[in-house]
Structures are given as structure tokens and as C-alpha cells.
Amino acid sequence: NGGMTSSARVGYVSAKGRKGGGRNVNQTANLADLDLADEETVRQLLSSLPVSHYEERKKKTEDLILRYPEWFRYLTHDFSVLLYGFGSKKQVLEHFASNYLLDGAVVVVNGYQQRVSALSILNQCVFALSDESENLNSSSTIASTAAAAANNNNNNN
């Protein structure tokens, strides 16, 4: 939590709403300042909430599942798939990946976590690829390439 005491923690949204957010005016509130819960805690808390609009959500999920073959076709032809709208898309994407992306590695990036960086994503990809592929000569070659790419990315920012 960056050494902040609980009394010093300021919510991101409330900090944005006040001039300076209770801080030096030259500082800005950012996600790294928040004491965010881990993924498992978030899942447990969300599962305990009552489900609203159950029938509408069920219908939307069924409609999305019917689109999975189309998404897979786009991905196999080097196109991207963009999901947008209200609410999290995590469950839909995990379901799609577990049913269609079976021939290789899938790396899940929880971008809301403060520890996520370009280097950590590349390291996770290298780890997934080295586990999945027997044809790789050495993971150290890939790791050095990933580290060089991350270093280059950091130098460009």
C-alpha cells in the first residue's frame, strides 16, 4: 500500500473531485495510491451480491456465446476483438478462452492491479510460452528478448 496509513488513504474518485484531492496541488491521484483487494477477495465479494436483471444478463450471455465462433475466426485471421459496454467482460473472456483458445497459451492481464507493468506482462508471456512449447531452444533467449523489448519500451516512455 505504498506505506500509507489507513487514515491517509484517499479514494481515487473522491480525490479527483477535490482540488488537489487533499494533496499537494501538483500531485495527481492514481491507482497505485489505492489499497486494492486481490482478485480472489473481489471474486468472493462479488459472488455474495444479489444478481440484478438476471433474465437480461442470461440472454446477453447466451447472445455472446453464439458470437464465439465469429470471435475465434477474427482472432485466427489476425484481427482483434473489442468488447465494450457496462460491466466487466472478464467472465465472458475467460469462458471464451477456456472453450476456444485450446491450442496455445493464454495470458490473463488484470490491468486494475497496481503491480502490472509492461515487463511483468512480457515475463508472464515468456513463462506461458516456455511451458507450452517444446520447440523453443531456450527460455533464456526469449527472456532476454522480452527484457530488451521492455527496456526499449521504458526508454520510449
Side-chain angles (χ1 to χ4, degrees):
N1 66 17
M4 291 175 31
T5 64
S6 64
S7 63
R9 291 188 187 114
V10 177
Y12 179 76
V13 175
S14 64
K16 286 298 205 184
R18 290 178 280 157
K19 184 174 182 179
R23 309 157 181 236
N24 181 329
V25 175
N26 294 328
Q27 292 179 333
T28 58
N30 60 50
L31 289 175
D33 293 337
L34 298 178
D35 185 22
L36 298 176
D38 61 81
E39 182 178 358
E40 187 58 34
T41 302
V42 171
R43 283 182 188 259
Q44 288 174 350
L45 290 171
L46 289 175
S47 69
S48 68
L49 293 175
V51 177
S52 60
H53 305 286
Y54 177 78
E55 290 301 321
E56 293 88 348
R57 288 175 180 237
K58 182 179 174 187
K59 174 72 170 118
K60 185 53 130 173
T61 300
E62 290 168 355
D63 291 346
L64 289 172
I65 289 171
L66 292 174
R67 308 274 317 258
Y68 286 2
E70 180 183 6
W71 297 356
F72 185 72
R73 189 171 56 253
Y74 285 142
L75 292 173
T76 57
H77 288 89
D78 294 329
F79 287 93
S80 298
V81 174
L82 173 65
L83 302 181
Y84 60 92
F86 291 102
S88 174
K89 312 304 178 279
K90 186 171 174 50
Q91 188 175 19
V92 171
L93 289 171
E94 287 176 344
H95 187 257
F96 170 72
S98 67
N99 287 281
Y100 276 83
L101 305 179
L102 306 174
D103 63 342
V106 173
V107 176
V108 177
V109 177
N110 294 315
Y112 57 84
Q113 292 183 346
Q114 62 189 9
R115 296 180 307 273
V116 173
S117 67
L119 183 57
S120 67
I121 294 169
L122 284 171
N123 284 335
Q124 185 67 26
C125 290
V126 168
F127 178 75
L129 288 172
S130 63
D131 265 4
E132 293 291 323
S133 177
E134 295 176 7
N135 296 328
L136 296 176
N137 292 333
S138 78
S139 60
S140 63
T141 303
I142 295 172
S144 64
T145 303
N151 188 28
N152 189 19
N153 187 26
N154 289 336
N155 288 338
N156 290 336
N157 291 335

